[in-house]
Amino acid sequence: MSASIDVAICGGGLAGAALARSLLKIPHVRVRIFEGAPAFRESGAAVGLTVNAQRALRSLGHDLWESFIEAGAHQSHGLRLMIGEGKDAGTHVCDVASDTPPFIVHRASFLEHLLAPIPAGVLHVNRKLAKIDDSKEKIVMEFEDGSTAETDLIIGSDGIRGRTRSYILGDDSPIANPIYSGWWDIRNLVPAQKAVEFLGSRSILEPALWIWIGTERFLMHDVLDKGQTVQCVGAAFEKEASSEKLGTALDQEKLLQTFECYGSFGEGMAKILADQEDPTKYLEWAHEDAPTYFRGRVCMMGDAAHAMTPWQGAGAGQAIEDALILQALFQEAKSPGDLDALVFAFDAVRRPRCKQVTHSSLEVGYGMTGMRGIDAKKLREEVFKGRWDHLINIDLNHHVQEALELMRNKQSADK
């Protein structure tokens, strides 16, 4: 069967690559990825997939799950939340996902393995989107190098500051660009023995993703590589922090001041975080809720649509859920005439879901950084109780069927 629907994915990160892999399975869809950078790449060290995202990735195809595992994905540990300061320091708050822990993978490796089976003719680099003309039968994309391409539908997976979001919401929209969430973080990976030496205790090697709650502060550590490496993360809430987009240098003195509320443990963690070539704090950016994920025949997914804070580790998983819904809708669509109903249905099911997850992540962040108090019982029973249920217990089959029903109803109404 020759392809009857032409799809352009703008942005070749994890979201775009996963979607492309899933759409290449559909004979009547022709897909191309246009990446603005000179090469396909992912920034950041690791990405985690909670159990809902694991199910979504498997549903996209066993081959995508195999790419995930071949990229080095491994099951991590559940979260163990602890009070980190004050008279109750060391008090256990609660455990999360101990029975269904996330899988962790290096971002760059996962992207490499996702892209590997994609035919070279599908992949286009140095194609940063500049303009969109949706006034003709085919959408015309103009790139910054002056080249153009035509397509039936654009799917923006071009990240938190992508062009497609500003096109959909309007260049002058106050929510087209991300906002600083108020938090910054810094992380480091160190050999296990070095971590023990800094902290003077082997307790840091106990298997769990340990989270220590402080007043507008957060410390986390986890063991990787079968106990050979310790990942350490520190974060703080500073609403008036620099608005620079890129990272800002930190020194050991600043880190010691930031985490002094944790006592000797904070001192050790600060020294671990400073023990790297260029200690840098990165501001956490997020989007405000978009009123729509599409405009005409242009829609957005992943961080372009719903960049969120990292407190529930849900961002990558929501992008994979996006891809699952789009795959199902493209299997249903048979011609370009079905695309209006497709983007309508995608928006109708994914926007409320992602809004819920985005807001939940914020609330978890407030709890994990002591902005809902440092009382273990209150945090356990009022802030964190049930907070992960909606995220991990979604019925993905129902979610897909809901989208398909909405698409069919829209098609019938438009006839």
Side-chain angles (χ1 to χ4, degrees):
M1 179 187 298
S2 61
S4 59
I5 300 176
D6 198 339
V7 178
I9 299 172
C10 290
L14 294 178
L19 177 62
R21 284 279 298 273
S22 67
L23 296 187
L24 283 167
K25 303 171 186 288
I26 305 174
H28 60 268
V29 174
R30 177 198 182 204
V31 60
R32 290 169 292 169
I33 302 179
F34 296 93
E35 167 58 42
F40 291 91
R41 63 173 183 266
E42 269 285 347
S43 59
V47 61
L49 297 187
T50 49
V51 66
N52 58 296
Q54 297 166 34
R55 291 195 297 263
L57 186 62
R58 286 188 173 100
S59 296
L60 284 173
H62 182 67
D63 57 320
L64 274 82
W65 181 259
E66 284 185 338
S67 292
F68 182 57
I69 298 301
E70 289 169 0
H74 63 280
Q75 198 164 38
S76 182
H77 308 105
L79 281 64
R80 174 153 292 180
L81 280 70
M82 308 288 293
I83 300 297
E85 67 164 78
K87 63 181 179 62
D88 294 326
T91 300
H92 177 234
V93 177
C94 61
D95 289 345
V96 176
S98 55
D99 296 329
T100 56
F103 272 71
I104 307 295
V105 69
H106 194 282
R107 285 178 175 272
S109 179
F110 188 24
L111 179 61
E112 179 184 352
H113 283 77
L114 280 175
L115 292 171
I118 297 179
V122 172
L123 306 173
H124 304 269
V125 296
N126 287 315
R127 294 294 186 272
K128 188 171 183 179
L129 187 63
K131 295 180 182 178
I132 297 171
D133 181 358
D134 192 10
S135 64
K136 303 178 177 65
E137 182 179 354
K138 291 275 190 178
I139 304 175
V140 179
M141 300 176 291
E142 182 177 331
F143 303 103
E144 287 189 352
D145 65 356
S147 63
T148 61
E150 294 184 345
T151 188
D152 295 316
L153 180 71
I154 295 173
I155 300 177
S157 63
D158 45 352
I160 190 168
R161 292 183 172 83
R163 177 70 184 98
T164 51
R165 182 179 177 90
S166 60
Y167 173 83
I168 291 168
L169 302 181
D171 291 329
D172 298 328
S173 170
I175 61 172
N177 294 313
I179 59 171
Y180 169 53
S181 67
W183 288 287
W184 59 262
D185 62 60
I186 180 173
R187 58 196 65 214
N188 196 15
L189 298 173
V190 296
Q193 186 55 43
K194 178 176 281 192
V196 171
E197 291 170 1
F198 272 119
L199 292 171
S201 171
R202 297 191 63 82
S203 60
I204 196 171
L205 303 183
E206 294 180 21
L209 203 161
W210 294 82
I211 291 171
W212 300 87
I213 300 167
T215 302
E216 297 190 353
R217 302 290 185 266
F218 162 99
L219 288 172
M220 185 197 84
H221 58 82
D222 187 20
V223 290
L224 307 175
D225 302 330
K226 298 180 180 179
Q228 299 304 304
T229 303
V230 175
Q231 172 186 224
C232 296
V233 180
F237 186 86
E238 291 182 5
K239 193 60 181 176
E240 302 304 320
S242 166
S243 61
E244 294 178 15
K245 296 178 182 179
L246 301 179
T248 303
L250 285 174
D251 57 26
Q252 182 169 295
E253 181 179 357
K254 171 65 175 176
L255 288 166
L256 287 169
Q257 292 174 354
T258 300
F259 300 112
E260 63 182 356
C261 59
Y262 289 91
S264 60
F265 172 68
E267 180 181 352
M269 287 288 286
K271 290 179 179 178
I272 290 174
L273 294 169
D275 187 42
Q276 50 185 307
E277 185 174 348
D278 294 303
T280 303
K281 71 175 183 182
Y282 293 94
L283 306 188
E284 295 181 4
W285 298 85
H287 282 144
E288 296 183 83
D289 299 327
T292 180
Y293 284 178
F294 74 97
R295 172 184 165 191
R297 294 171 292 168
V298 181
C299 73
M300 56 184 174
M301 65 175 294
D303 279 351
H306 44 73
M308 60 189 68
T309 56
W311 299 103
Q312 285 189 291
Q318 289 310 293
I320 292 172
E321 287 185 14
D322 287 346
L324 179 64
I325 296 300
L326 286 167
Q327 181 191 49
L329 293 173
F330 274 107
Q331 287 170 335
E332 182 78 6
K334 296 299 186 286
S335 73
D338 294 323
L339 294 177
D340 288 342
L342 184 151
V343 295
F344 169 84
F346 174 74
D347 174 76
V349 297
R350 290 304 299 158
R351 189 158 46 84
R353 162 71 169 164
C354 296
K355 179 178 178 179
Q356 182 186 32
V357 175
T358 297
H359 288 220
S360 177
S361 178
L362 273 174
E363 188 59 32
V364 168
Y366 293 138
M368 286 184 176
T369 53
M371 299 172 71
R372 295 291 183 258
I374 310 289
D375 181 277
K377 183 179 180 181
K378 180 181 178 181
L379 287 169
R380 182 187 310 115
E381 297 179 359
E382 298 180 21
V383 178
F384 296 131
K385 185 177 181 180
R387 181 60 65 179
W388 277 262
D389 291 351
H390 71 93
L391 176 64
I392 64 178
N393 293 333
I394 183 173
D395 184 337
L396 289 173
N397 289 330
H398 176 76
H399 200 43
V400 167
Q401 291 306 314
E402 181 185 12
L404 290 171
E405 182 177 358
L406 283 165
M407 181 176 173
R408 291 162 185 158
N409 291 342
K410 176 68 171 171
Q411 288 171 314
S412 297
D414 289 346
K415 286 182 179 179

